[in-house]
Amino acid sequence: PISIDNMSEFIGILATLLVLLSFLEKSEEKIRVLNTIGAFVFVVYGLTINSFSVWFMNSILIFIHSKRLYELRKEHDTLPLD
């Protein structure tokens, strides 16, 4: 049977793998997208294990990554077409 502890551990491992996977990417945009997803899963994990420091820090990371992704896309949209 799957217990809450096992499910929490699975969520934490999934979040860790997503963040690690992001560092294998070369594109800053891909790194930030995967890292944002990983941070979101870490927020869920932090809430599941009742850890303020985990969910709070990762909530801030989501904001930081989202802001930078917006800036990257805005830069991309303003590049001149050849």
Side-chain angles (χ1 to χ4, degrees):
I2 297 176
S3 70
I4 293 294
D5 290 337
N6 289 343
M7 186 57 74
S8 297
E9 193 66 21
F10 173 77
I11 293 169
I13 291 168
L14 176 62
T16 300
L17 291 174
L18 285 166
V19 171
L20 287 174
L21 181 64
S22 75
F23 291 112
L24 297 176
E25 294 294 335
K26 295 188 185 328
S27 157
E28 181 183 357
E29 187 172 356
K30 288 180 182 178
I31 290 169
R32 289 188 181 273
V33 167
L34 281 171
N35 225 289
T36 301
I37 296 167
F40 176 78
V41 177
F42 264 123
V43 168
V44 173
Y45 175 69
L47 291 170
T48 302
I49 66 168
N50 201 23
S51 175
F52 175 80
S53 60
V54 172
W55 70 257
F56 181 72
M57 183 197 70
N58 283 282
S59 296
I60 292 171
L61 285 176
I62 291 170
F63 172 76
I64 291 168
H65 287 312
S66 298
K67 182 178 180 301
R68 183 61 184 139
L69 281 167
Y70 173 79
E71 292 168 353
L72 285 171
R73 292 198 174 136
K74 192 173 176 182
E75 289 171 11
H76 179 72
D77 289 344
T78 60
L79 291 177
L81 298 175
D82 292 331

